[in-house]
Amino acid sequence: MARIDYAKIARDYAQARGLTEEGLAGWREAVRPYLAGLALPVVDVGSGAGQFAALFPSWFGVQVVGVEPSAAMRAEAVANTSDARVTYLHGDAQHLPRADLSAGAAWISTVIHHIPNLPAAAAEIRRVLTPGAPVLIRSAFPGRTGGVSLFRFFPEAESVVGTFPSIEQVEQDFGAAGFRLERVEPVVQVTTQSLREFRTRVALRADTTLRGITDEAFAAGLARLDTAILGGESEGPVIDLLGLVVLR
């Protein structure tokens, strides 16, 4: 079960969390070695509003099957995707609507903390992947939030990330399903073009970590952002580092 109700935030999600294609250039290059030219589809587990599913075909020439439990988020994804190589289906990480050995890779972006039974999900992902296919996980991980701007202004939200699966937990649970950890690296993304834009997006509170703190802590974080903007920090892009974990 997701930690937040995506039916309530689906319309705001792209505005609050969506990144530009240019801003995602670091991710395009980081995952290119694993996805470019795959003959079998990429399964986007928890595809949400379709940000990556919509880009992967043009980036890498692949087909994508987005699997998303929220009908509202799937509707947003369909509305925002024009490429016929992308299909969105109802399902979740523990119930993937794919045949055995039918996918060339799995992509899990900022969703691993919503999976209630990670060992079961790892076994299900193993079922649909061909042997040797990669699992690519994009996330904030406990103890690795230093490069994420959000936590500078909302330090209380770090405790929420502390409840997410750690890299060690991911390695253990996927290892039990037959995967091995291949790579862990931080990837640069341009989250917004200015701190003022960042503040506008954050105010929508369409983020698990922000939904997990008190209203008072949220208001205090917005006040910190306002102070920084008034102090002249609004110029220049907001650049963040999220983790990429690769398993096979």
Side-chain angles (χ1 to χ4, degrees):
M1 179 180 293
R3 296 182 182 217
I4 59 179
D5 186 350
Y6 281 104
K8 294 181 178 179
I9 68 166
R11 290 186 178 181
D12 291 334
Y13 190 85
Q15 182 181 352
R17 303 286 303 281
L19 305 179
T20 65
E21 185 171 357
E22 180 182 356
L24 289 171
W27 283 100
R28 181 187 65 222
E29 297 313 309
V31 303
R32 182 184 297 279
Y34 308 101
L35 301 185
L38 289 178
L40 291 174
V42 177
V43 175
D44 186 347
V45 181
S47 50
Q51 173 155 260
F52 284 96
L55 289 171
F56 283 165
S58 61
W59 282 358
F60 308 126
V62 295
Q63 293 184 321
V64 180
V65 177
V67 178
E68 170 59 44
S70 167
M73 292 292 274
R74 289 199 311 276
E76 288 294 312
V78 170
N80 295 324
T81 304
S82 59
D83 198 307
R85 291 172 289 184
V86 183
T87 304
Y88 295 105
L89 301 174
H90 173 73
D92 59 46
Q94 294 169 226
H95 308 89
L96 297 173
R98 295 290 301 175
D100 295 358
L101 308 177
S102 64
W107 170 251
I108 308 172
S109 176
T110 61
V111 76
I112 195 166
H113 49 284
H114 293 302
I115 299 173
N117 187 332
L118 197 56
E124 175 69 347
I125 291 167
R126 173 69 186 273
R127 178 185 68 79
V128 304
L129 290 184
T130 56
V135 177
L136 310 175
I137 302 173
R138 173 180 177 262
S139 184
F141 291 97
R144 295 172 178 256
T145 58
V148 182
S149 304
L150 186 74
F151 303 112
R152 171 190 167 195
F153 301 101
F154 300 89
E156 298 86 353
E158 287 199 66
S159 65
V160 181
V161 177
T163 69
F164 291 6
S166 66
I167 290 174
E168 293 75 20
Q169 188 66 52
V170 169
E171 182 178 15
Q172 175 181 317
D173 291 345
F174 275 81
F179 293 93
R180 62 176 177 80
L181 182 66
E182 181 174 293
R183 186 176 182 85
V184 178
E185 66 172 301
V187 178
V188 174
Q189 65 184 41
V190 179
T191 300
T192 61
Q193 290 302 313
S194 71
L195 197 61
R196 194 177 299 277
E197 180 189 353
F198 182 76
R199 201 272 188 206
T200 299
R201 289 158 56 99
V202 164
L204 294 171
R205 207 173 181 179
D207 185 285
T208 301
T209 56
L210 296 180
R211 294 270 175 156
I213 62 177
T214 66
D215 292 344
E216 292 76 14
F218 181 65
L222 291 178
R224 294 184 192 102
L225 270 166
D226 291 337
T227 298
I229 291 168
L230 288 172
E233 291 190 43
S234 61
E235 300 301 322
V238 174
I239 297 174
D240 289 316
L241 294 173
L242 262 66
L244 171 64
V245 170
V246 181
L247 306 110
R248 288 189 191 271

mmCIF file of all heavy atoms in Angstrom, residues 216-233:
data_model
loop_
_atom_site.group_PDB
_atom_site.id
_atom_site.type_symbol
_atom_site.label_atom_id
_atom_site.label_comp_id
_atom_site.label_asym_id
_atom_site.label_seq_id
_atom_site.Cartn_x
_atom_site.Cartn_y
_atom_site.Cartn_z
ATOM 1 N N GLU A 216 3.317 21.659 11.304
ATOM 2 C CA GLU A 216 4.193 22.697 11.853
ATOM 3 C C GLU A 216 5.592 22.616 11.244
ATOM 4 O O GLU A 216 6.190 23.639 10.891
ATOM 5 C CB GLU A 216 4.268 22.562 13.380
ATOM 6 C CG GLU A 216 2.980 22.873 14.123
ATOM 7 C CD GLU A 216 1.934 21.763 14.030
ATOM 8 O OE1 GLU A 216 2.289 20.627 13.622
ATOM 9 O OE2 GLU A 216 0.771 22.032 14.366
ATOM 10 N N ALA A 217 6.100 21.396 11.086
ATOM 11 C CA ALA A 217 7.420 21.230 10.475
ATOM 12 C C ALA A 217 7.398 21.626 9.003
ATOM 13 O O ALA A 217 8.357 22.213 8.487
ATOM 14 C CB ALA A 217 7.880 19.775 10.621
ATOM 15 N N PHE A 218 6.292 21.330 8.345
ATOM 16 C CA PHE A 218 6.156 21.722 6.939
ATOM 17 C C PHE A 218 6.141 23.241 6.804
ATOM 18 O O PHE A 218 6.832 23.807 5.947
ATOM 19 C CB PHE A 218 4.878 21.119 6.359
ATOM 20 C CG PHE A 218 4.650 21.436 4.905
ATOM 21 C CD1 PHE A 218 5.513 20.960 3.930
ATOM 22 C CD2 PHE A 218 3.578 22.224 4.514
ATOM 23 C CE1 PHE A 218 5.315 21.254 2.592
ATOM 24 C CE2 PHE A 218 3.366 22.519 3.180
ATOM 25 C CZ PHE A 218 4.238 22.030 2.216
ATOM 26 N N ALA A 219 5.380 23.909 7.649
ATOM 27 C CA ALA A 219 5.328 25.375 7.608
ATOM 28 C C ALA A 219 6.693 25.974 7.914
ATOM 29 O O ALA A 219 7.098 26.974 7.289
ATOM 30 C CB ALA A 219 4.285 25.883 8.604
ATOM 31 N N ALA A 220 7.421 25.373 8.859
ATOM 32 C CA ALA A 220 8.752 25.869 9.190
ATOM 33 C C ALA A 220 9.705 25.724 8.007
ATOM 34 O O ALA A 220 10.539 26.610 7.749
ATOM 35 C CB ALA A 220 9.305 25.125 10.403
ATOM 36 N N GLY A 221 9.570 24.631 7.257
ATOM 37 C CA GLY A 221 10.408 24.448 6.076
ATOM 38 C C GLY A 221 10.116 25.465 4.996
ATOM 39 O O GLY A 221 11.039 25.990 4.346
ATOM 40 N N LEU A 222 8.839 25.756 4.782
ATOM 41 C CA LEU A 222 8.484 26.789 3.811
ATOM 42 C C LEU A 222 9.044 28.132 4.237
ATOM 43 O O LEU A 222 9.509 28.925 3.392
ATOM 44 C CB LEU A 222 6.963 26.874 3.659
ATOM 45 C CG LEU A 222 6.273 25.687 2.990
ATOM 46 C CD1 LEU A 222 4.761 25.914 2.954
ATOM 47 C CD2 LEU A 222 6.800 25.459 1.580
ATOM 48 N N ALA A 223 9.032 28.415 5.545
ATOM 49 C CA ALA A 223 9.590 29.676 6.042
ATOM 50 C C ALA A 223 11.096 29.736 5.791
ATOM 51 O O ALA A 223 11.636 30.800 5.433
ATOM 52 C CB ALA A 223 9.286 29.828 7.526
ATOM 53 N N ARG A 224 11.794 28.608 5.946
ATOM 54 C CA ARG A 224 13.228 28.580 5.647
ATOM 55 C C ARG A 224 13.477 28.857 4.170
ATOM 56 O O ARG A 224 14.439 29.565 3.807
ATOM 57 C CB ARG A 224 13.815 27.224 6.033
ATOM 58 C CG ARG A 224 13.807 26.930 7.518
ATOM 59 C CD ARG A 224 14.502 25.600 7.825
ATOM 60 N NE ARG A 224 14.254 25.181 9.195
ATOM 61 C CZ ARG A 224 13.374 24.248 9.549
ATOM 62 N NH1 ARG A 224 12.685 23.586 8.605
ATOM 63 N NH2 ARG A 224 13.194 23.949 10.810
ATOM 64 N N LEU A 225 12.648 28.291 3.328
ATOM 65 C CA LEU A 225 12.776 28.556 1.892
ATOM 66 C C LEU A 225 12.554 30.036 1.594
ATOM 67 O O LEU A 225 13.309 30.647 0.813
ATOM 68 C CB LEU A 225 11.762 27.711 1.113
ATOM 69 C CG LEU A 225 12.213 26.332 0.667
ATOM 70 C CD1 LEU A 225 11.027 25.498 0.212
ATOM 71 C CD2 LEU A 225 13.237 26.445 -0.460
ATOM 72 N N ASP A 226 11.542 30.624 2.188
ATOM 73 C CA ASP A 226 11.257 32.044 1.964
ATOM 74 C C ASP A 226 12.431 32.906 2.400
ATOM 75 O O ASP A 226 12.796 33.881 1.717
ATOM 76 C CB ASP A 226 9.989 32.453 2.723
ATOM 77 C CG ASP A 226 8.730 31.837 2.134
ATOM 78 O OD1 ASP A 226 8.753 31.476 0.941
ATOM 79 O OD2 ASP A 226 7.736 31.718 2.865
ATOM 80 N N THR A 227 13.031 32.557 3.525
ATOM 81 C CA THR A 227 14.187 33.317 4.007
ATOM 82 C C THR A 227 15.348 33.217 3.026
ATOM 83 O O THR A 227 16.019 34.214 2.725
ATOM 84 C CB THR A 227 14.618 32.796 5.389
ATOM 85 O OG1 THR A 227 13.547 32.985 6.315
ATOM 86 C CG2 THR A 227 15.848 33.526 5.888
ATOM 87 N N ALA A 228 15.583 32.013 2.505
ATOM 88 C CA ALA A 228 16.675 31.834 1.550
ATOM 89 C C ALA A 228 16.423 32.615 0.270
ATOM 90 O O ALA A 228 17.350 33.226 -0.300
ATOM 91 C CB ALA A 228 16.850 30.351 1.239
ATOM 92 N N ILE A 229 15.185 32.620 -0.185
ATOM 93 C CA ILE A 229 14.842 33.347 -1.414
ATOM 94 C C ILE A 229 15.011 34.848 -1.207
ATOM 95 O O ILE A 229 15.598 35.546 -2.038
ATOM 96 C CB ILE A 229 13.407 33.000 -1.847
ATOM 97 C CG1 ILE A 229 13.340 31.543 -2.328
ATOM 98 C CG2 ILE A 229 12.936 33.938 -2.966
ATOM 99 C CD1 ILE A 229 11.936 31.013 -2.509
ATOM 100 N N LEU A 230 14.514 35.351 -0.070
ATOM 101 C CA LEU A 230 14.657 36.779 0.228
ATOM 102 C C LEU A 230 16.122 37.173 0.399
ATOM 103 O O LEU A 230 16.503 38.306 0.139
ATOM 104 C CB LEU A 230 13.872 37.122 1.490
ATOM 105 C CG LEU A 230 12.351 37.116 1.348
ATOM 106 C CD1 LEU A 230 11.685 37.286 2.706
ATOM 107 C CD2 LEU A 230 11.895 38.213 0.389
ATOM 108 N N GLY A 231 16.935 36.186 0.789
ATOM 109 C CA GLY A 231 18.359 36.437 0.953
ATOM 110 C C GLY A 231 19.148 36.384 -0.336
ATOM 111 O O GLY A 231 20.375 36.521 -0.327
ATOM 112 N N GLY A 232 18.460 36.153 -1.447
ATOM 113 C CA GLY A 232 19.119 36.205 -2.745
ATOM 114 C C GLY A 232 19.544 34.875 -3.312
ATOM 115 O O GLY A 232 20.287 34.826 -4.297
ATOM 116 N N GLU A 233 19.058 33.764 -2.735
ATOM 117 C CA GLU A 233 19.452 32.449 -3.223
ATOM 118 C C GLU A 233 18.564 31.927 -4.353
ATOM 119 O O GLU A 233 18.704 30.780 -4.761
ATOM 120 C CB GLU A 233 19.425 31.439 -2.073
ATOM 121 C CG GLU A 233 20.481 31.654 -1.031
ATOM 122 C CD GLU A 233 20.556 30.494 -0.054
ATOM 123 O OE1 GLU A 233 20.487 29.326 -0.500
ATOM 124 O OE2 GLU A 233 20.665 30.744 1.149
#
